[in-house]
Amino acid sequence: KNQVEQSPQSLIILEGKNCTLQCNYTVSPFSNLRWYKQDTGRGPVSLTIMTFSENTKSNGRYTATLDADTKQSSLHITASQLSDSASYICVVSAEGGATNKLIFGTGTLLAVQP
Amino acid sequence: DGGITQSPKYLFRKEGQNVTLSCEQNLNHDAMYWYRQDPGQGLRLIYYSQIVNDFQKGDIAEGYSVSREKKESFPLTVTSAQKNPTAFYLCASKPDGRTEAFFGQGTRLTVV
């Protein structure tokens, strides 16, 4: 069964600190993996996309990694800001690209405190 | 500005009533989708449409209906047959050949 699991479920950190969110997946055949940021009461917005051949990709203070062998991805946030408080969702796309094959994780709720 | 617009932002429904959630996009995307989001669960696909006048059931279509009469519009009706409709509903669209879904701002539906 195609599944995406994220950990931790929630996380509280102090402003300026770093944090790492985890995503494990069992999706086959794998096409790509995206991290989305969802602010409270808003729609998700894509942060990064990782394909099979990519190990690391950065988008500002966000750095995503992918280990296709172990089927794990991480999202590292550097020097956190209050505006980073949101839910971070890992989404894996099965081969073919049709959105009916997008598998969503349950998200990690991040709270950045001053 | 190009984007995907959902309305209303908040919606209250009495038990036994049908309600319709609006979703409009001006991104010229062929594919549009409706998801439901509940606390502690990932997004679940309700319906999707790859082209005008055609749509397919997703994983949790029971109690919902859609139409796709125009490329820009994909309204979702929550019928009285949906026993637990209180949730956050997200509409998305996707361009051909890409896997990134663009989401609207969501509609929070509450049954009172």
Side-chain angles (χ1 to χ4, degrees), chain A residues 31-52:
Chain A
S31 176
N32 60 61
L33 182 150
R34 286 184 186 272
W35 284 93
Y36 281 83
K37 178 186 179 186
Q38 184 178 21
D39 292 316
T40 301
R42 309 291 292 272
V45 176
S46 179
L47 290 174
T48 66
I49 177 173
M50 305 290 291
T51 58
F52 186 85

Side-chain angles (χ1 to χ4, degrees), chain A residues 1-4 25-32 71 92-95 101 103:
Chain A
K1 179 181 178 183
N2 288 330
Q3 280 188 318
V4 176
Y25 62 92
T26 54
V27 176
S28 182
F30 175 86
S31 176
N32 60 61
K71 298 186 177 181
V92 180
S93 176
E95 194 169 87
K101 294 183 180 178
I103 297 94

Side-chain angles (χ1 to χ4, degrees), chain A residues 32 34 38 42-43 99, chain B residues 33 35 37 94 99-100 105:
Chain A
N32 60 61
R34 286 184 186 272
Q38 184 178 21
R42 309 291 292 272
T99 299
Chain B
Y33 310 85
Y35 290 92
Q37 188 175 35
K94 187 177 76 68
T99 58
E100 180 179 3
Q105 296 303 299

Side-chain angles (χ1 to χ4, degrees), chain A:
Chain A
K1 179 181 178 183
N2 288 330
Q3 280 188 318
V4 176
E5 296 182 348
Q6 293 186 241
S7 62
Q9 190 171 19
S10 62
L11 182 62
I12 300 174
I13 62 173
L14 294 176
E15 186 179 11
K17 298 297 185 182
N18 304 336
C19 67
T20 300
L21 315 180
Q22 300 290 342
C23 174
N24 297 337
Y25 62 92
T26 54
V27 176
S28 182
F30 175 86
S31 176
N32 60 61
L33 182 150
R34 286 184 186 272
W35 284 93
Y36 281 83
K37 178 186 179 186
Q38 184 178 21
D39 292 316
T40 301
R42 309 291 292 272
V45 176
S46 179
L47 290 174
T48 66
I49 177 173
M50 305 290 291
T51 58
F52 186 85
S53 60
E54 295 176 307
N55 299 119
T56 303
K57 184 173 287 187
S58 293
N59 177 7
R61 294 180 297 102
Y62 300 103
T63 299
T65 66
L66 176 66
D67 186 333
D69 292 330
T70 61
K71 298 186 177 181
Q72 295 180 326
S73 176
S74 67
L75 181 69
H76 185 76
I77 304 175
T78 304
S80 62
Q81 300 176 358
L82 297 179
S83 60
D84 292 332
S85 295
S87 180
Y88 291 84
I89 304 173
C90 176
V91 183
V92 180
S93 176
E95 194 169 87
T99 299
N100 61 314
K101 294 183 180 178
L102 286 180
I103 297 94
F104 290 81
T106 56
T108 291
L109 185 61
L110 174 65
V112 180
Q113 295 185 342

